[in-house]
Amino acid sequence: ETNGNLVSSTFGRMAPTNRANQAHVERVRQTRDFAIGNYQAAEGPLNPSLLLGHPLFNEKGRLMRIVYAALDVAVMNHEAAKASLPEGSVIHVFDRTGHMVASHPDGEQWVGKSVSGSAVMARITNQIEGTAELPGLDGVSRLYAFRPIRSGREPGLFVSVGIPTALAFAEPKQVLTRNLAALGLMVALVLLAAHLYAKVYILRPVNALVGATHQLAAGDLTARTGILHSRGELNQLAQAFDHMAESVQRQRSEIEHSEQALRESEQRVRLILDTALDGVITINEQGAVTSWNKEAEKIFGWTRDEVLGQTLAATIIPPRFREAHERGLKHFLTTQQGPVLNRRIEILGLRRDGREFPLELAITPIRLGDHFVFSAFVRDITERKKAEDEIRALNASLEQRVIERTKELEVANKELEAYSYSVSHDLQAPLRRIEGFIDMLRRDSTTTVGESGQRCLDAISRSAKKMAILIDDLLAFSRMGRSELSRTRVGMDQLVAEVVRELARDTQGRDIEWKIDPLPEMNVDPSMLKQVWVNLLSNAVKYTRKRERAQIEIGCRKNPGGEFEFSVRDNGAGFDMKNAGKLFRVFERLHQAQEFEGTGIGLANVHRIITRHGGRTWAEGKEDAGAAFYFTLPGAP
């Protein structure tokens, strides 16, 4: 059975027996193939045997039984005795455990014994298959050949055949003797020919090569073998030497040129450093000076030879800063970070005579392999500090003068405001008297003043009223420039809605289409911005009077620069763009007073208010095709 229980035997039923732990059964179960087991000593009716196993499968390929046979080793010894071997030869068959299964001669002496410690078995175990000259089981040295007999992939038995070494090497020795004799004669002839050949083709190239080598070693880069191009290894070697010498000479020339260029480069760098307007100092990781230019000598008073190798802390750093300098250097070497590196700072330096002075310093770390060097650029800013002190003194004086001048301007503005009100009163009083006298003339002279006289009185009255309006607008324009801004956050759409409601009286009976986009909240003076909307929207209403259906659009967008751009468009009378520059000037009008009333101050007021808020104003238009007025306000936080 596959569990090792014995179920039948050619010797008849035997006592219950289990063969599960025997090699031939284990190997059949593992490989499912024919397997050679180990040597089995005599047991009951069995003679000493070699056990062999074979699997039996059912129709589904499942292992069902194991058949094993015991091959009598006497049969194997009999077969081994039939082998035709030279006298003194031996043949052995071992199982994998080193037990002798068959042997000739002396089979009865060796069969069944373990020879695992013998030289033959050790060599077979290590090499599996091959040949070797080894001492046999009887101590006689023989030339052995051995190979395995496999069951599946694994070797099951090992067969070795040993032939006496004298017999094995007899024929090769005879052949070797004949060959040596022939070879000796041949060598003599070859030596003679080789001597003649070597003298011409070997010694001459070698001598030339050795001589050229000695010349080259002595420093003569022009040394050459002088051998012409031809075949032969030595000739080729000589030619390769000549090529190498040429390459070395060329490389030496290139190195000399490079060294010369390097010296010139170093000289240029030295000249640049020595002519630099800043002091240039280089230190190593220990803080020792490795470079010091002419300007550094002028600034600090130390010559290059005196300061090279000394530390900055011992030369140009004031004593109270030396500990911080050394601490900062150690911190950078540990962390590669430093708060004063790669930027300009102002600090105090120390001259050779012990005087401290202000200087501007920039330190740059440079990595060279595994180490750092530090380049410091130094500038004496003593004169600049003096100039800054003078500028501060001048600024203080200027600020005082500005304060005094501001007070003078405030007084002048107050006087100007008082003067403006005085002018307004002085100008408006005569105008009121003129209007009064005109009314008296109309009442008292209805019979004596004719129709033309009445028209003259009407013209005088209109002019007086216009003059009064103009004076009021001028006073408002003057106050707008002097009054302080009172900013607050206000919704622009609220201001626009309020102005549109106030204009309703002037738009009664008219067909006006208002299109108002959403408007943002702005931080502005509400009363001034309302005046802006009043002027712009009243102008739009006025200049669309001749349209059957007036269209007025109010919009806003944010520019890429962050400004808010407001616009008022209409389809009214428009204007010629060549006159656009006059629109925001005082008293400048682009239409006749008979067409559209006005004083020419409204847009000037718009310009002044927007300018005071930090914005811009402009306009676009086309005659009889409408106009668009724009103003911007900063997007304040």
Side-chain angles (χ1 to χ4, degrees):
E1 297 287 353
T2 56
N3 59 5
N5 291 332
L6 182 65
V7 295
S8 66
S9 171
T10 57
F11 293 98
R13 179 171 296 277
M14 300 175 65
T17 304
N18 187 281
R19 302 290 186 182
N21 60 348
Q22 295 203 355
H24 62 286
V25 176
E26 290 181 351
R27 289 172 191 154
V28 169
R29 288 192 299 184
Q30 290 173 0
T31 64
R32 300 167 62 84
D33 199 354
F34 170 78
I36 299 176
N38 298 331
Y39 170 80
Q40 175 70 46
E43 181 182 7
L46 288 176
N47 294 328
S49 306
L50 178 68
L51 301 180
L52 309 174
H54 195 282
L56 296 180
F57 301 99
N58 62 11
E59 63 276 7
K60 294 183 179 181
R62 181 181 175 187
L63 179 64
M64 298 300 293
R65 296 285 190 277
I66 297 174
V67 176
Y68 80 91
L71 177 61
D72 194 332
V73 295
V75 175
M76 298 180 66
N77 275 318
H78 180 71
E79 293 297 324
K82 294 180 180 180
S84 177
L85 295 175
E87 186 178 356
S89 301
V90 295
I91 180 169
H92 302 303
V93 180
F94 309 92
D95 68 3
R96 70 178 68 200
T97 63
H99 286 84
M100 185 75 74
V101 177
S103 178
H104 179 77
D106 303 327
E108 297 80 2
Q109 178 184 354
W110 293 106
V111 169
K113 292 185 178 180
S114 174
V115 294
S116 58
S118 65
V120 175
M121 191 61 197
R123 190 60 175 262
I124 290 174
T125 303
N126 292 330
Q127 192 171 341
I128 303 298
E129 182 175 351
T131 60
E133 185 176 351
L134 300 169
L137 299 178
D138 55 0
V140 178
S141 177
R142 295 182 178 86
L143 181 65
Y144 281 90
F146 45 88
R147 63 165 297 168
I149 298 176
R150 300 179 183 274
S151 58
R153 294 184 179 182
E154 297 294 328
L157 298 175
F158 297 97
V159 178
S160 69
V161 177
I163 301 175
T165 54
L167 181 63
F169 297 136
E171 185 177 352
K173 285 181 178 179
Q174 294 177 359
V175 174
L176 178 62
T177 302
R178 290 195 302 270
N179 291 343
L180 286 175
L183 181 62
L185 180 61
M186 184 180 294
V187 167
L189 295 175
V190 168
L191 288 176
L192 179 60
H195 175 72
L196 298 176
Y197 179 87
K199 187 173 182 180
V200 177
Y201 295 100
I202 298 178
L203 293 179
R204 186 170 63 86
V206 167
N207 290 333
L209 188 60
V210 170
T213 302
H214 289 163
Q215 285 181 276
L216 187 65
D220 183 6
L221 299 182
T222 62
R224 301 291 187 272
T225 62
I227 297 176
L228 300 178
H229 296 283
S230 61
R231 295 182 179 179
E233 287 79 0
L234 286 175
N235 290 338
Q236 293 177 0
L237 179 61
Q239 294 164 19
F241 176 86
D242 290 345
H243 293 158
M244 179 197 70
E246 291 176 4
S247 176
V248 169
Q249 186 177 12
R250 184 170 57 254
Q251 291 177 8
R252 179 64 178 270
S253 177
E254 293 174 354
I255 290 172
E256 290 177 352
H257 291 158
S258 299
E259 290 176 348
Q260 179 64 25
L262 180 59
R263 286 192 294 270
E264 293 176 355
S265 176
E266 290 176 348
Q267 186 177 5
R268 283 195 299 270
V269 171
R270 173 57 59 191
L271 289 174
I272 291 172
L273 292 178
D274 285 343
T275 56
L277 298 179
D278 289 346
V280 181
I281 304 170
T282 305
I283 65 172
N284 57 23
E285 292 181 343
Q286 289 72 41
V289 177
T290 58
S291 176
W292 187 272
N293 73 340
K294 293 289 186 182
E295 188 63 22
E297 292 181 349
K298 295 177 183 179
I299 293 174
F300 295 101
W302 295 88
T303 65
R304 180 187 292 114
D305 294 337
E306 290 173 333
V307 80
L308 288 180
Q310 296 195 51
T311 62
L312 289 186
T315 52
I316 65 174
I317 297 178
R320 61 184 182 279
F321 300 138
R322 291 173 183 173
E323 183 180 352
H325 163 74
E326 294 174 353
R327 188 169 57 250
L329 182 60
K330 292 179 181 177
H331 176 74
F332 174 81
L333 295 176
T334 303
T335 65
Q336 277 73 58
Q337 294 180 354
V340 299
L341 299 178
N342 298 314
R343 64 187 185 94
R344 290 188 177 274
I345 62 172
E346 293 183 4
I347 196 171
L348 291 177
L350 184 68
R351 298 189 197 276
R352 183 174 182 175
D353 58 11
R355 289 182 296 128
E356 294 185 4
F357 66 101
L359 56 84
E360 187 177 72
L361 171 67
I363 304 176
T364 303
I366 302 171
R367 181 185 284 276
L368 297 178
D370 296 332
H371 302 282
F372 281 93
V373 297
F374 303 88
S375 293
F377 300 88
V378 182
R379 181 177 299 174
D380 186 350
I381 58 173
T382 302
E383 296 301 324
R384 191 177 79 187
K385 286 297 184 181
K386 291 180 180 178
E388 290 176 355
D389 292 340
E390 293 176 0
I391 290 171
R392 279 194 291 270
L394 290 173
N395 285 339
S397 175
L398 181 60
E399 289 175 2
Q400 183 61 33
R401 292 171 61 187
V402 168
I403 292 172
E404 294 173 357
R405 185 60 177 165
T406 302
K407 291 180 179 178
E408 293 175 1
L409 288 175
E410 289 176 353
V411 173
N413 282 334
K414 290 180 180 178
E415 291 176 354
L416 180 60
E417 186 174 357
Y419 175 74
S420 299
Y421 280 110
S422 175
V423 170
S424 172
H425 180 270
D426 292 343
L427 290 177
Q428 287 180 346
L431 290 175
R432 286 194 294 271
R433 292 178 64 188
I434 290 172
E435 290 180 359
F437 285 125
I438 290 172
D439 291 338
M440 291 172 61
L441 285 173
R442 283 174 177 164
R443 289 194 301 270
D444 298 338
S445 305
T446 55
T447 57
T448 58
V449 179
E451 184 177 348
S452 61
Q454 289 292 336
R455 285 198 299 271
C456 289
L457 291 175
D458 291 340
I460 293 171
S461 178
R462 287 195 301 273
S463 297
K465 290 178 180 178
K466 183 176 180 181
M467 185 67 177
I469 294 172
L470 183 58
I471 291 170
D472 290 338
D473 288 346
L474 280 173
L475 287 173
F477 182 74
S478 175
R479 286 194 298 271
M480 195 64 69
R482 296 194 305 273
S483 59
E484 294 184 2
L485 292 179
S486 179
R487 291 180 182 267
T488 184
R489 196 154 190 86
V490 62
M492 299 297 276
D493 49 0
Q494 298 174 3
L495 292 180
V496 170
E498 186 177 343
V499 173
V500 171
R501 285 196 300 271
E502 293 175 359
L503 292 174
R505 290 178 299 177
D506 298 332
T507 59
Q508 286 182 355
R510 291 184 55 186
D511 185 6
I512 299 178
E513 179 186 356
W514 294 91
K515 183 178 179 182
I516 304 174
D517 292 344
L519 303 178
E521 290 185 348
M522 302 299 295
N523 191 29
V524 295
D525 187 308
S527 61
M528 289 189 181
L529 260 295
K530 180 179 179 181
Q531 188 62 42
V532 169
W533 289 115
V534 167
N535 289 333
L536 293 179
L537 297 184
S538 60
N539 277 356
V541 170
K542 177 170 61 176
Y543 289 106
T544 57
R545 185 183 300 154
K546 296 181 180 181
R547 297 289 187 250
E548 290 184 5
R549 180 177 179 80
Q551 294 178 347
I552 301 174
E553 299 179 5
I554 302 168
C556 177
R557 70 184 184 93
K558 193 171 185 179
N559 289 336
E563 290 181 318
F564 286 90
E565 180 184 300
F566 297 88
S567 62
V568 177
R569 299 176 180 272
D570 63 64
N571 63 339
F575 60 88
D576 191 344
M577 279 297 292
K578 67 181 181 181
N579 298 319
K582 302 178 181 180
L583 282 173
F584 297 98
R585 298 177 186 172
V586 180
F587 300 136
E588 291 286 358
R589 303 193 72 243
L590 305 186
H591 299 87
Q592 297 294 328
Q594 293 83 354
E595 292 184 277
F596 301 101
E597 71 280 0
T599 60
I601 296 179
L603 289 180
N605 253 340
V606 170
H607 176 72
R608 173 167 286 192
I609 293 170
I610 295 304
T611 300
R612 292 194 63 192
H613 279 79
R616 299 172 292 118
T617 57
W618 71 97
E620 298 172 355
K622 187 176 181 181
E623 285 186 312
D624 200 35
F629 289 85
Y630 301 90
F631 68 89
T632 64
L633 291 173

